[in-house]
């Protein structure tokens, strides 16, 4: 198995700091120490905390984009991929990636300019969903429901439990299928 690059090790270390110590503890010094590199080595890749957080956001959104790239070409396939990449088929407790996302959002909210890359990605995803071969209003309604569900999962805000989770996800997929047939 190939060894992770220094940059990836630093991003992994930053995620570990977020998970173990919280967003307020995400400092360049803490990340360098966790990764076992000098501050100079960290500065080579990330000259500022904003650059580090930006790279973490980019890594998460790139992973989401990779999942979306698996979409087929039938009407509604991009939206189906969006649902699948956001909401697992079965109810689960929060995954480590979800906890990293919460920490990152907390860090990004401290610097509102850090939200701009997310705004751009969401705008691109929305444009693709609106051109997915189904009624754009259905695609947007499903996307907004999924985004709200994602936020509820991330922040522990009354997400549906087992059984209801699966039924709700299935209902969203059926909405997409009906829109694709219309």
């Amino acid at each position: 198995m190939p060894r992770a690059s220094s940059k990836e090790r630093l991003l992994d270390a930053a995620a570990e700091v977020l998970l173990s110590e919280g967003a307020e503890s995400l400092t360049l010094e803490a990340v360098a120490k966790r990764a076992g590199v000098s501050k100079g080595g960290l500065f080579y890749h990330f000259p500022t905390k904003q650059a580090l957080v930006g790279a973490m956001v980019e890594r998460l959104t790139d992973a989401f984009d990779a999942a979306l790239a698996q979409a087929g070409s039938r009407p509604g396939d991009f939206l189906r991929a969006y649902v699948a990449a956001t909401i697992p088929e079965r109810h689960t407790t929060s995954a480590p990636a979800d906890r990293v996302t919460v920490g990152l959002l907390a860090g990004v909210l401290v610097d509102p300019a850090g939200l701009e890359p997310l705004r751009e990605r969401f705008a691109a995803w929305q444009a693709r969903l609106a051109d997915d071969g189904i009624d754009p209003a259905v695609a947007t309604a499903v996307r907004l429901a999924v985004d709200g569900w994602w936020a509820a999962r991330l922040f522990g805000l009354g997400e549906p439990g087992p059984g209801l989770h699966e039924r709700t996800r299935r209902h969203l997929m059926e909405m997409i299928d009906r829109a694709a047939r219309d």
Side-chain angles (χ1 to χ4, degrees):
M1 183 161 165
R3 219 179 107 146
S5 70
S6 297
K7 187 174 183 176
E8 289 298 315
R9 280 197 344 261
L10 288 164
L11 291 171
D12 290 341
E16 290 170 15
V17 169
L18 276 172
L19 290 172
S20 64
E21 301 171 38
E24 65 282 348
S25 297
L26 184 64
T27 65
L28 294 178
E29 184 175 327
V31 171
K33 182 177 179 182
R34 180 73 58 114
V37 302
S38 68
K39 281 180 81 174
L42 175 102
F43 288 142
Y44 174 78
H45 294 288
F46 307 109
T48 65
K49 182 177 173 178
Q50 290 78 11
L52 174 65
V53 170
M56 293 176 75
V57 169
E58 183 176 0
R59 182 161 79 163
L60 285 171
T61 55
D62 284 351
F64 192 72
D65 277 335
L68 295 177
Q70 304 304 311
S73 58
R74 296 175 307 141
D77 275 354
F78 189 80
L79 184 55
R80 287 182 193 89
Y82 192 93
V83 173
T86 308
I87 306 297
E89 282 190 54
R90 301 274 176 240
H91 179 270
T92 61
T93 57
S94 183
D98 289 343
R99 294 195 316 271
V100 170
T101 302
V102 169
L104 269 178
L105 290 175
V108 168
L109 291 176
V110 172
D111 175 22
L115 282 174
E116 193 53 37
L118 284 175
R119 287 184 183 107
E120 291 171 6
R121 289 302 252 287
F122 271 92
W125 295 329
Q126 174 60 34
R128 178 64 182 87
L129 288 168
D131 191 34
D132 197 23
I134 64 173
D135 181 346
V138 173
T140 299
V142 170
R143 187 212 117 199
L144 292 173
V146 168
D147 289 351
W149 190 353
W150 173 74
R153 286 180 52 236
L154 287 180
F155 298 111
L157 301 173
E159 65 179 301
L164 184 56
H165 171 103
E166 292 80 6
R167 285 178 46 218
T168 303
R169 188 178 186 279
R170 189 170 47 252
H171 179 72
L172 290 172
M173 292 300 214
E174 288 168 359
M175 284 177 64
I176 299 167
D177 292 341
R178 277 192 305 276
R181 286 190 304 268
D182 291 344

